[in-house]
Amino acid sequence: MAPTAAPLRRRLAAAAACAALLAPAAAATGVHRPEPSAYPLPGLEEAAEIRVDRWGVPHIYAESTGDLYFAQGVNAARDRLFQIDLERRRGLGLLSEAFGPAFTEQDRAARLFLYRGDMEAEWAAYGERTRLAARRFADGVNAYIDWLEENPGHLPAEFAELGHRPGRWRAEDVVRIRSSALTGNVVSEVVRARTACAAGVRADALRAPLRPDAGPEVPDGLDPCAIPPGVLDDYLLATAPADLTRPSPPAHPPSAAEGSNAWAVAPERTGTGRPLLAGDPHRALTAPSTRYFAHLSAPGTDVAGAGDPGAPGVAMGHNGTAAFGLTYFSADAEDLYVYRLHPDDPGLYAYRGGWERMRRTTERIPVRGGDPVEVELLFTRHGPVVLADGAGRAAYAVRTAWSEPGTAPYLGSLELMRARGAEAFGAALSEWGGPPLTYLYADASGSIALAAGGRVPVREGFDGLLPVPGDGRYEWSGFAPGSELPAERDPAAGFLASANEYRPGPGAPAGYEWPPPLRHQRITEALAADPAFGPGDAMTLQNDRYDPVSGLLLPFLEGLGPHGRGDGAGAGAALAVLEAWDGSAAEDSAGAALFRIWASRHLAPAVREAALPPSPLPDPGADPEALAAALRALDPGDRDALLTATLAGAYAEAEWLLGPDPARWRWGGLQQTWFAHAAGAHLGPFPRGGAPHSVDATGHGPADFTHHTGASARMVLDVGAWDASRAVNAPGQSGDPSSPHYADLLPMWRRGDYFPLLYTRAAVVEHTERTIRLLPAP
């Protein structure tokens, strides 16, 4: 039995008790405060209007682009102030100012990864329209904060409970924070180095097979065994979300389940005769959501979709002519550099036959209830120093593509959302900064397209799969032009899809570490099988919970001999449950519960032990395709014995966790969804179906099956019939626990339902719940 079974059983019992006490998911907390119908706001040039529909989506109308982004900033503060204030503090390293000395370490780490380049070069990388949008958005946030100073009764409850006030924004805040987006593979470099030290450089293929296949090479001058534990603690702390319940949260790598699905279908393959575009980004499940749906309308701009609550524009949606949806493009955009320090001066590192001095920056972190804390930040030519060991005469720095000018997360969408033709779409993606994304596109003319964008380093003479010496031999020689990244337009098949899979481009590989293509295969099979694919089919596909890993692993059980079926240790009983299972990771599935226990907690560790030399390292998990390949390579007799033993162990653990009767086992009894709130007011737990590699992807921890990443936001766009488009955002649109829209969409999300993503003025007026006027004031 797995050693974590007893703690997991206690957690499930506590979760069941908690669930019994919770009201239905739609229940909001707190006392709702009546909202004013008008706000007089200095800085607004002409009157603007926000129409909030019955699902909490704001439709913002203004007379100019500047006023539109000002109004978007006002609305972001009106509906998500605690969330965007906390994210700004986290990104700028100002948590301690509001929450005290326990957060100084996280503040220091965050400051290491701020954009520190030339601001004029930064703004020039986007253009004047983006600079205007950032400035006016920040002005709008500040205007609402100023209004709260005179109307403190409308301050969100978290500020009163935690005893702080929101900070004022600058336009630079929108672009300097880089650590909030999905990042690259530097964590994987360190894991591979430690594995190479323990078991050889190719031993890591079970965790992360390379796509395309490549043999990683240990760089000349690198000792993989010398990479110290905790070398990336600052990096992980800088990129971690703010958790006010756990100051300096433990260092955990980003979840492999954070990705996305998106697809575009040409009109000749839809039941409507119109193109269709669908997208569902997979990110951390939080309360409120990491995404926010809005409709922005002014002369020259009329877009609807979802974006970052604390940034202008939308990153996925449509502009009345063209629709666009995103997935993460797993380009290798990071490297860990290892330096040899001068024996007499640890501020010097060896570089190209000489010594180069680190740049030192001293900053003062304001601390609530105490004196400011002075911290020293070190930088090499490659990036921030995350660990310096003077005694060992070594230092380590992280180089990132996302520290380059023009790579603020999703800010490139301000140009992308103007694209009204496939050529303009491709041009916008060729200039995309960060994070690296694959965008799908469909427009009213019937054209569909796919294009990847982002800063992808060009490495000459090394593969980027392990840390490298920082002595000048392993430099980037620039960034791949957009024309060398994957792109496709109007294929003969009539559809395009992306699910983070490896997709070759015309240039060199953008990296070697990509998720398995299982979601992509499932999506393309569904699209190819239906010549009249419609919006309803897209919503069904987004909620598809078939676990494709079952198709890789269950065939190995078909030839299991009689000893595996009647051994009395549970393997035979386990086989009976799995043979009756259809592969669907439904909430009420006994087979899914047993399969996930077996695959992640028993089979993968056993295969690793059988296939690799003994290692002192913790089990990092296994890629499902690599796991199947490793099973296939075992001696048949050894494989059968391993399968029998692991099935018996998994069955025993399932009995311990879910009871002795398999007929009463439920996958949703193990996998539980929590929508995490930074201050601890979490929503959940709720039983949840889906699996890590199902289209409805549910990232969960193997230790306790807590569901923590997935598609909280989904959209299905009926191109040309825009009011027929559908979306959902869980737990709700608002970030204010007192709002009726804080968790009202959660039951809909759990059922796989959607609300209309309205666009035309008539439809918006028909479904307006309340109208808010923004008025110019002196």
Side-chain angles (χ1 to χ4, degrees):
M1 184 178 299
T4 55
L8 175 54
R9 193 182 190 195
R10 289 194 294 270
R11 184 191 70 82
L12 292 172
C18 180
L21 295 174
L22 286 172
T29 59
V31 177
H32 179 54
R33 299 178 300 273
E35 185 170 6
S37 59
Y39 293 86
L41 299 170
L44 189 66
E45 295 177 0
E46 297 184 68
E49 180 181 71
I50 303 172
R51 286 182 171 267
V52 181
D53 68 27
R54 56 183 290 196
W55 300 281
V57 176
H59 301 263
I60 304 172
Y61 301 93
E63 297 301 321
S64 68
T65 301
D67 273 359
L68 179 65
Y69 291 119
F70 181 97
Q72 189 184 12
V74 171
N75 182 75
R78 180 193 68 82
D79 220 12
R80 295 283 190 100
L81 183 57
F82 178 72
Q83 180 190 30
I84 66 173
D85 180 75
L86 187 66
E87 179 55 26
R88 173 184 167 275
R89 290 182 180 280
R90 185 210 62 79
L92 294 176
L94 291 172
L95 290 172
S96 301
E97 180 182 52
F99 308 114
F103 293 90
T104 55
E105 284 302 310
Q106 188 167 6
D107 283 344
R108 178 190 172 278
R111 290 168 183 238
L112 284 170
F113 287 91
L114 281 169
Y115 175 73
R116 291 179 175 271
D118 179 72
M119 282 307 301
E120 287 305 315
E122 169 71 0
W123 289 122
Y126 309 108
E128 279 304 311
R129 289 188 298 198
T130 297
R131 187 172 189 171
L132 170 68
R135 177 173 62 81
R136 294 295 283 158
F137 183 88
D139 288 346
V141 173
N142 291 337
Y144 186 80
I145 294 173
D146 290 341
W147 181 86
L148 285 174
E149 289 291 329
E150 297 186 8
N151 299 272
H154 290 270
L155 192 69
E158 293 98 334
F159 290 99
E161 292 169 3
L162 297 170
H164 71 295
R165 290 293 182 268
R168 296 319 196 268
W169 287 48
R170 299 181 304 163
E172 288 79 4
D173 297 344
V174 176
V175 297
R176 291 189 67 218
I177 298 171
R178 301 293 169 86
S179 55
S180 58
L182 288 172
T183 52
N185 81 325
V186 70
V187 173
S188 191
E189 288 184 13
V190 172
V191 173
R192 184 172 288 106
R194 298 185 68 198
T195 303
C197 172
V201 70
R202 284 167 176 76
D204 198 45
L206 184 61
R207 175 191 69 91
L210 303 181
R211 301 176 175 100
D213 189 25
E217 300 287 341
V218 177
D220 181 40
L222 175 74
D223 178 5
C225 298
I227 304 296
V231 65
L232 291 181
D233 282 357
D234 275 350
Y235 169 91
L236 294 171
L237 195 55
T239 55
D243 184 350
L244 304 182
T245 69
R246 300 182 69 180
S248 297
H252 293 305
S255 168
E258 290 191 294
S260 301
N261 303 316
W263 59 86
V265 186
E268 62 269 21
R269 291 196 61 87
T270 67
T272 64
R274 297 184 294 272
L276 181 149
L277 186 135
D280 56 297
H282 306 159
R283 296 298 305 271
L285 299 179
T286 58
S289 169
T290 57
R291 302 289 182 183
Y292 187 70
F293 281 92
H295 176 196
L296 312 175
S297 185
T301 301
D302 196 10
V303 297
D308 185 325
V314 299
M316 50 184 271
H318 72 85
N319 59 21
T321 298
F324 46 97
L326 58 87
T327 68
Y328 184 55
F329 181 60
S330 301
D332 183 353
E334 299 173 347
D335 277 318
L336 180 68
Y337 282 83
V338 183
Y339 304 94
R340 178 171 60 90
L341 300 182
H342 192 284
D344 300 320
D345 186 346
L348 296 173
Y349 61 94
Y351 188 77
R352 292 191 172 172
W355 298 97
E356 190 162 294
R357 184 164 295 282
M358 297 179 189
R359 179 166 58 89
R360 296 175 182 267
T361 298
T362 300
E363 296 189 359
R364 293 166 66 85
I365 298 175
V367 178
R368 177 180 173 179
D371 295 330
V373 172
E374 193 169 276
V375 296
E376 184 179 72
L377 310 177
L378 300 176
F379 300 87
T380 71
R381 63 169 44 239
H382 300 117
V385 175
V386 291
L387 184 66
D389 179 7
R393 294 197 298 173
Y396 305 84
V398 174
R399 185 175 189 183
T400 68
W402 40 274
S403 62
E404 296 292 320
T407 58
Y410 303 103
L411 210 60
S413 62
L414 288 166
E415 290 299 318
L416 178 68
M417 68 188 197
R418 302 176 191 277
R420 296 180 179 272
E423 293 294 335
F425 165 75
L429 263 296
S430 70
E431 300 297 324
W432 184 268
L437 297 175
T438 300
Y439 263 98
L440 276 295
Y441 169 92
D443 66 32
S445 74
S447 184
I448 63 173
L450 174 153
R455 301 285 196 276
V456 178
V458 176
R459 299 174 176 86
E460 296 181 0
F462 69 110
D463 53 30
L465 292 169
L466 286 137
V468 292
D471 56 14
R473 291 177 293 159
Y474 299 94
E475 298 293 339
W476 298 353
S477 56
F479 298 95
S483 60
E484 293 188 3
L485 300 182
E488 194 171 354
R489 180 174 169 184
D490 297 324
F495 60 82
L496 290 163
S498 175
N500 316 119
E501 77 288 347
Y502 168 62
R503 180 185 296 269
Y512 297 93
E513 297 185 272
W514 308 83
L518 302 178
R519 279 184 288 116
H520 181 258
Q521 291 168 357
R522 180 74 172 174
I523 292 167
T524 54
E525 287 170 2
L527 296 176
D530 189 349
F533 195 84
D537 301 306
M539 289 183 272
T540 298
L541 183 54
Q542 285 183 334
N543 288 277
D544 177 63
R545 294 178 174 180
Y546 172 74
D547 187 349
V549 180
S550 67
L552 294 175
L553 301 182
L554 291 184
F556 290 103
L557 304 182
E558 293 173 1
L560 208 56
H563 64 283
R565 297 180 178 272
D567 67 334
L575 283 168
V577 173
L578 293 175
E579 285 173 349
W581 181 45
D582 63 0
S584 173
E587 282 181 18
D588 61 356
S589 172
L594 179 60
F595 180 77
R596 294 312 314 168
I597 292 172
W598 173 61
S600 63
R601 293 163 66 90
H602 293 265
L603 181 64
V607 169
R608 183 174 182 84
E609 183 177 346
L612 297 175
S615 169
L617 301 178
D619 181 4
D623 177 275
E625 288 190 327
L627 181 60
L631 274 173
R632 200 173 298 115
L634 293 177
D635 173 83
D638 293 341
R639 181 173 60 235
D640 282 2
L642 181 148
L643 292 171
T644 299
T646 56
L647 283 170
Y651 191 86
E653 185 174 2
E655 287 185 305
W656 175 253
L657 294 172
L658 297 171
D661 182 4
R664 300 176 66 86
W665 294 352
R666 299 289 183 268
W667 172 222
L670 285 176
Q671 182 170 249
Q672 303 271 317
T673 300
W674 288 89
F675 285 87
H677 186 280
H682 312 312
L683 292 173
F686 311 110
R688 186 76 170 107
H693 298 284
S694 58
V695 178
D696 182 10
T698 56
H700 61 251
D704 62 5
F705 296 111
T706 297
H707 173 213
H708 51 70
T709 55
S712 64
R714 298 187 176 102
M715 69 177 191
V716 174
L717 303 180
D718 191 341
V719 177
W722 300 112
D723 289 337
S725 299
R726 296 293 183 264
V728 71
N729 194 20
Q733 276 282 101
S734 180
D736 184 349
S738 73
S739 168
H741 295 299
Y742 181 66
D744 58 326
L745 301 178
L746 191 45
M748 182 183 292
W749 177 83
R750 293 183 64 202
R751 294 192 306 266
D753 288 345
Y754 297 69
F755 62 79
L757 184 60
L758 304 177
Y759 186 65
T760 65
R761 179 77 178 190
V764 171
V765 170
E766 179 184 354
H767 294 282
T768 294
E769 181 180 80
R770 68 180 181 276
T771 301
I772 301 167
R773 297 278 292 166
L774 307 183
L775 305 173

